[in-house]
Amino acid sequence: MLQNIAKPPVDLAMQIWPRLRDEATSLQGAEPLLARYANATILSAPRFDEALGNLLAEKLAGHELNAAQIRQLFTATAQAEPDLIEAACRDLSAVVDRDPAAGGYVVPFLFFKGFHALQAYRLSHWLWRRNRRYLAFYLQNRISDLFAVDIHPAARIGSGIMMDHATGIVIGETAVVEDNVSMLHAVTLGGTGKETGDRVMIGAGAKILGNIEVGSGARVAAGSVVLQNVPPCVTVAGVPAKVVGNSGCAEPSQEMNQMLPGDCISI
């Protein structure tokens, strides 16, 4: 079971779905070359979950498993575990809320590989917990090949997660990531134990290695190597990382402020 996952509103998918469809329709008008893609993934689907299944089928299909098989597998998974769809909605909302480049729902849904990798991981994690280990490992390999993101299917990841840029993210087998965490590219969560709490922001290139707990509301600065537990609501930086100040706000994962305490801007 995922730890400390706050239940989102049961109608979150219904709230997102009309906006996603409207934006997909606008995309068709603005870029005719992508009209077929928008229709095949979003506009041909009656609900958010089916659109997500279409997306993952399109992305993950290969020589071993075709798109129809991936879609069937995702549909069975979503029916058995509705929380998977709720988590996907919270992840998508997190990207829209925290990343100015998103500009709405359709761009991250169709084009942001951090979102794609995370939803594909959720499918592999469901398979792992049902002892379908070979298929889970296959999906891990596909995710790594396609998105340059390597998440062990046994890792436990909450919801409301944003992987910004995502290239080079590695999350190990024993890692536990709670809710509302933001991480940038080239982040490594390795070793054993609870790697991060909730509402944590992990900067680009940061490494969290060993039996480490990062307290809720903390920030890990870009390029840092964390080898000791991080208290809640602080900023750590350096190699090895040390506390350099407070986190500056209650929810750094929402603010996405990467400036260190005392930084100034020169013009």
Side-chain angles (χ1 to χ4, degrees):
M1 297 292 292
L2 296 177
Q3 295 186 357
N4 192 33
I5 296 182
K7 291 289 185 181
V10 294
D11 62 347
L12 184 55
M14 294 180 64
Q15 293 173 12
I16 291 174
W17 181 233
R19 295 181 61 180
L20 184 60
R21 285 185 60 88
D22 287 347
E23 291 176 20
T25 301
S26 297
L27 182 154
Q28 282 190 314
E31 183 46 78
L33 289 177
L34 293 176
R36 183 176 179 180
Y37 180 42
N39 184 69
T41 52
I42 298 172
L43 295 174
S44 65
R47 300 187 308 272
F48 178 86
D49 60 309
E50 291 198 25
L52 184 57
N54 290 340
L55 176 79
L56 293 180
E58 170 73 21
K59 294 292 182 181
L60 297 175
H63 295 298
E64 294 79 14
L65 295 179
N66 61 36
Q69 290 171 310
I70 297 289
R71 188 179 295 105
Q72 183 179 27
L73 177 63
F74 179 82
T75 298
T77 302
Q79 289 175 347
E81 187 160 328
D83 284 355
L84 183 146
I85 302 303
E86 294 180 351
C89 288
R90 291 197 65 199
D91 296 338
L92 184 59
S93 295
V95 178
V96 172
D97 291 342
R98 301 173 205 168
D99 188 350
Y105 289 97
V106 75
V107 168
F109 185 88
L110 291 179
F111 307 127
F112 283 13
K113 69 177 184 176
F115 176 75
H116 301 160
L118 187 55
Q119 306 324 308
Y121 147 78
R122 296 195 187 285
L123 178 56
S124 74
H125 182 66
W126 185 84
L127 292 166
W128 182 271
R129 289 190 289 115
R130 277 146 189 82
N131 209 33
R132 299 178 69 178
R133 303 290 173 87
Y134 292 118
L135 190 51
F137 276 131
Y138 169 78
L139 288 178
Q140 179 189 5
N141 178 258
R142 285 295 288 163
I143 295 164
S144 180
D145 284 348
L146 292 168
F147 309 124
V149 175
D150 195 341
I151 309 175
H152 195 284
R156 291 179 287 171
I157 300 178
S159 61
I161 307 299
M162 184 183 75
M163 295 179 177
D164 194 15
H165 303 295
T167 299
I169 288 177
V170 177
I171 301 179
E173 179 178 2
T174 58
V176 178
V177 179
E178 294 193 5
D179 294 344
N180 300 317
V181 172
S182 296
M183 63 183 78
L184 281 78
H185 53 282
V187 164
T188 297
L189 306 181
T192 60
K194 179 175 167 182
E195 305 295 348
T196 67
D198 61 351
R199 297 176 290 121
V200 170
M201 193 193 78
I202 307 172
K207 317 298 179 188
I208 301 174
L209 307 174
N211 186 11
I212 305 298
E213 179 171 356
V214 178
S216 296
R219 295 193 306 168
V220 179
S224 299
V225 177
V226 180
L227 302 175
Q228 299 182 33
N229 290 342
V230 176
C233 302
V234 302
T235 296
V236 297
V239 182
K242 298 179 181 179
V243 175
V244 295
N246 62 41
S247 58
C249 63
E251 298 190 9
S253 64
Q254 305 287 333
E255 299 289 336
M256 296 298 292
N257 181 356
Q258 299 182 64
M259 294 185 69
L260 295 176
D263 279 353
C264 60
I265 300 175
S266 58
I267 299 177

